[in-house]
Amino acid sequence: MSTSSRRGELPTVSDVLEPAWVRWVLLAVALAFLTLFLFVPLVAVFTEALRKGWQTYVEAIVDEDAISAIKLTLIAAGIAVPLNLVFGVAASWAVAKFEFRGKSLLLTLIDLPFSVSPVISGLIYVLLFGAQGWFGEWLMARDIKILFAVPGIVLATIFITFPFVARELIPLMQAQGSEEEEAAVVLGASGWQTFFRVTLPNIKWGLLYGVILCNARAMGEFGAVSVVSGHIRGETNTMPLQVEILYNEYNFVAAFAVASLLALLALVTLALKSFIEWRLHESRADDSTEH
């Protein structure tokens, strides 16, 4: 027992820190884990993609089916992310600023995609819109295609990604409280003026953080999209599905070339995520200083 502990004093930093060798062992274990499961696979993706040279890599990227997969991925993300942004802001504002019946149910529904397997969510859409599904005959009679077409892929992507923006904003808006909005209303600001001039500036970094995570998940989603896509080459394959097809065909260079685009997306997402986390930390520090 240290001298300060024997005298009944509060422990100092030196009393509670682990020995230096323990810290170094923990650091070495963490670095070994990151190297084995993150850095080595990442290097392997780019190494295999460029194994036959830059020209072969470019040819794999500009292949007609690969371009179609890239376009479909961008379309799905381009529709899902803005819709989830609107939903996330509306849901988080309702949860953080108001009390109403069904609030706990709304929170549970927001978390639903986190607790349901993506494959199961895809099967739900098959049950609803498949040929033998609840609305299958009605859709077929009107020549409306949901499954094995772009609408089904977009719906699956929206379902999988809709918690990200809301779950990032809800705790942030709850921590900020509603005093500033109430003051703006008292001073005569309308609802839209209050949102754009008070609420939005306070949540902008958290909102961007949620959008980045939502976009990364939308572009990398595999399970739900795989169930509803039908794997039609050049039509309903997103980038992850195109990678699977190329790999199963033993076209490893092309598979890793397309996979490298997803890896680059992950690196860009990580960089933006780190920057926004820093900005969020600075913003919260400024808020605590002001108060």
Side-chain angles (χ1 to χ4, degrees):
M1 183 180 293
S2 65
T3 305
S4 60
S5 298
R6 287 196 302 269
R7 294 175 181 175
E9 299 174 358
L10 292 174
T12 63
V13 174
S14 59
D15 293 327
V16 298
L17 285 179
E18 298 289 348
W21 69 269
V22 174
R23 299 197 297 274
W24 282 109
V25 168
L26 293 175
L27 181 61
V29 170
L31 290 176
F33 185 89
L34 288 174
T35 301
L36 182 61
F37 294 103
L38 180 61
F39 300 134
V40 171
L42 190 62
V43 171
V45 168
F46 289 99
T47 301
E48 288 296 320
L50 297 169
R51 184 160 53 90
K52 293 186 178 180
W54 180 255
Q55 183 177 354
T56 304
Y57 175 84
V58 173
E59 289 176 354
I61 295 298
V62 299
D63 178 75
E64 185 178 350
D65 291 340
I67 293 295
S68 175
I70 293 170
K71 287 181 179 179
L72 182 56
T73 302
L74 293 176
I75 289 172
I79 296 174
V81 173
L83 290 177
N84 284 328
L85 185 152
V86 173
F87 167 79
V89 172
S92 57
W93 199 358
V95 170
K97 307 298 183 180
F98 304 101
E99 293 295 333
F100 55 91
R101 286 186 177 182
K103 184 175 180 178
S104 59
L105 177 61
L106 176 59
L107 289 171
T108 301
L109 292 176
I110 290 174
D111 289 335
L112 187 62
F114 289 144
S115 57
V116 176
S117 167
V119 175
I120 299 301
S121 65
L123 290 175
I124 292 173
Y125 284 111
V126 173
L127 177 63
L128 292 175
F129 306 119
Q132 308 300 323
W134 292 0
F135 306 110
E137 293 185 6
W138 187 89
L139 293 171
M140 290 176 64
R142 289 157 180 79
D143 196 25
I144 300 175
K145 295 189 67 174
I146 302 295
L147 293 183
F148 312 143
V150 175
I153 294 172
V154 172
L155 286 174
T157 304
I158 291 172
F159 177 82
I160 290 299
T161 57
F162 79 76
F164 287 94
V165 175
R167 266 303 167 194
E168 180 59 33
L169 290 182
I170 287 172
L172 177 61
M173 295 177 76
Q174 286 177 330
Q176 291 175 346
S178 58
E179 290 82 3
E180 293 185 19
E181 285 86 353
E182 292 173 355
V185 172
V186 170
L187 293 173
S190 66
W192 287 113
Q193 288 175 327
T194 301
F195 173 75
F196 283 109
R197 296 185 181 182
V198 179
T199 304
L200 189 58
N202 288 336
I203 65 171
K204 61 182 179 180
W205 294 112
L207 181 62
L208 285 174
Y209 186 88
V211 167
I212 288 172
L213 294 180
C214 181
N215 182 69
R217 179 61 189 275
M219 289 192 173
E221 174 54 30
F222 179 84
V225 171
S226 178
V227 174
V228 302
S229 73
H231 295 269
I232 304 173
R233 291 187 83 142
E235 295 185 21
T236 63
N237 279 338
T238 58
M239 290 170 66
L241 301 183
Q242 182 70 8
V243 171
E244 181 198 30
I245 288 178
L246 293 172
Y247 192 86
N248 289 338
E249 293 176 348
Y250 302 101
N251 192 353
F252 299 126
V253 172
F256 281 103
V258 179
S260 69
L261 297 180
L262 291 171
L264 286 173
L265 170 67
L267 292 175
V268 171
T269 300
L270 182 62
L272 291 174
K273 176 176 174 289
S274 300
F275 171 74
I276 291 176
E277 283 179 338
W278 172 74
R279 291 295 312 199
L280 271 172
H281 176 74
E282 292 291 320
S283 177
R284 288 168 181 169
D286 292 341
D287 290 342
S288 62
T289 303
E290 292 176 1
H291 290 88

